[in-house]
Amino acid sequence: MSRRQRLRGRDVNGILLLDKPIGISSNGALQVVKHLLDAQKAGHTGSLDPLASGLLPICLGEATKMSAYLLNADKHYWTECKLGQVTNTGDAEGEMIATQPVPVFTEEAVNAVLASFVGEIDQIPPMHSAIKQNGQPLYKLAHQGIVVERAARRVEIFSIHLVELSGDRLAFEVHCSKGTYVRTLAEDIGAKLGCGAHVSGLRRLQVATFDIDDAVGLDELRDLVDQQGPQVADTMLLPADYALNSWPQMNLSEDVAFYLKQGQPVLVPKSPTAGLVRLYHHGQFIGVGEILDDGRVAPRRLVREN
């Protein structure tokens, strides 16, 4: 029996933009989508906590091979902070560990603090995170009351804008690099304001070039599938290469495509000088390549052709 025969479900390929609701984990949402679409294979592209909502691209079938590139993508968030209260998790699900009075801030003062975080910054990952230390996820240690030293990580804040300031409520939008912990950013903003803060609301608005306005809600998806069957979602799927549409595109000749599919680096005229590229053959996306130091293109992640 072949591997494909052993797999259960439909051979569904593409990217579904899901608007994950509050109250369910990213993996929980993924499993619901996989079941609704009766898909053989699925993976998400970066966790959102149960407290958070918003854009969760779900890769299906051959598109799962592109998941890692979306994990590395920039992201936009809308964030609401509760000023004057610090929790042990950095969000509203944690226990209160400190409170301070909240001064009356001007928008100018808050904007100045927000602007101070733009650029490359170092963040210490929160204990309540999935980062592993000595093979153990930090959150498991945190649940045991264990706090360990964590190395700072360099991330980049591309932009941050004040949305609302009202009493002890502060809302902002942030465009940040992969690996940014918004909870940590909120705590650091609160510390710089002198009153402390934790995240009370979080919504992801963009991942790479994908936008929340193009996403489908879980309840809406469930209703459509109940009414019309799992195939109804196939029309919502984006091709796998949409995850990479800001990358250079290379169109391969018959001979060049043949050798590249055998795993061999190839010479392609007018190639970029470095970096990752999208590869096409007869107009069809066949995967990701990387420019080597000698100018050849090496296959890095190929997808099955239809």
Side-chain angles (χ1 to χ4, degrees):
M1 183 181 292
S2 70
R3 178 178 177 275
R4 193 174 299 178
Q5 286 172 321
R6 289 196 303 270
L7 289 172
R8 302 180 64 180
R10 299 188 306 128
D11 183 17
V12 185
N13 298 286
I15 301 171
L16 179 76
L17 302 184
L18 180 72
D19 185 349
K20 186 192 85 66
I22 293 172
I24 187 172
S25 69
S26 292
N27 187 61
L30 168 69
Q31 297 306 323
V32 171
V33 170
K34 185 179 179 183
H35 173 72
L36 288 173
L37 272 58
D38 189 27
Q40 290 178 354
K41 188 177 181 182
H44 65 69
T45 55
S47 294
L48 280 173
D49 293 336
L51 176 72
S53 68
L55 185 59
L56 182 67
I58 291 182
C59 295
L60 301 153
E62 289 294 287
T64 59
K65 296 176 179 178
M66 302 299 113
S67 296
Y69 303 112
L70 280 173
L71 284 169
N72 292 334
D74 301 346
K75 298 172 178 68
H76 289 74
Y77 295 91
W78 170 89
T79 310
E80 181 184 79
C81 299
K82 178 80 168 177
L83 301 177
Q85 298 179 353
V86 178
T87 70
N88 64 345
T89 60
D91 60 28
E93 293 187 330
E95 297 178 9
M96 200 82 63
I97 57 174
T99 61
Q100 294 187 59
V102 179
V104 177
F105 293 111
T106 64
E107 289 191 2
E108 289 76 17
V110 172
N111 277 322
V113 168
L114 295 180
S116 71
F117 287 90
V118 175
E120 290 190 347
I121 62 172
D122 290 323
Q123 284 192 330
I124 297 176
M127 279 301 302
H128 289 265
S129 66
I131 292 175
K132 290 184 178 180
Q133 191 151 312
N134 297 324
Q136 184 87 324
L138 290 179
Y139 69 84
K140 288 191 175 181
L141 297 175
H143 290 161
Q144 300 170 44
I146 300 172
V147 177
V148 297
E149 294 259 349
R150 287 97 68 201
R153 305 172 78 183
R154 180 60 58 96
V155 298
E156 186 168 2
I157 307 300
F158 300 109
S159 66
I160 184 168
H161 301 291
L162 177 65
V163 174
E164 186 175 348
L165 176 64
S166 177
D168 63 358
R169 179 178 179 272
L170 166 65
F172 61 84
E173 288 189 10
V174 58
H175 174 202
C176 53
S177 69
K178 68 168 184 175
T180 301
Y181 283 96
V182 180
R183 284 177 291 158
T184 300
L185 178 63
E187 288 181 317
D188 292 345
I189 289 170
K192 200 156 190 177
L193 287 170
C195 61
H198 69 264
V199 169
S200 54
L202 184 65
R203 183 162 175 77
R204 189 152 65 195
L205 306 176
Q206 290 183 1
V207 176
T209 57
F210 297 140
D211 193 279
I212 188 63
D213 290 341
D214 300 317
V216 61
L218 199 55
D219 286 342
E220 180 186 355
L221 180 64
R222 186 181 287 111
D223 289 344
L224 287 169
V225 171
D226 286 346
Q227 295 165 14
Q228 303 179 48
Q231 292 82 2
V232 68
D234 296 357
T235 60
M236 304 176 186
L237 301 182
L238 300 173
D241 58 332
Y242 270 45
L244 321 172
N245 60 9
S246 62
W247 295 10
Q249 175 177 333
M250 300 187 65
N251 300 299
L252 307 181
S253 67
E254 195 74 39
D255 288 344
V256 168
F258 173 81
Y259 288 110
L260 186 134
K261 290 175 189 178
Q262 307 306 310
Q264 300 181 34
V266 294
L267 278 173
V268 181
K270 301 180 181 179
S271 297
T273 57
L276 297 169
V277 294
R278 293 176 291 156
L279 303 174
Y280 293 82
H281 178 225
H282 292 322
Q284 183 174 349
F285 177 64
I286 62 171
V288 171
E290 184 174 13
I291 309 299
L292 302 179
D293 291 340
D294 62 7
R296 292 182 300 164
V297 182
R300 287 292 177 251
R301 207 75 171 101
L302 300 182
V303 299
R304 186 180 75 241
E305 294 183 72
N306 296 331

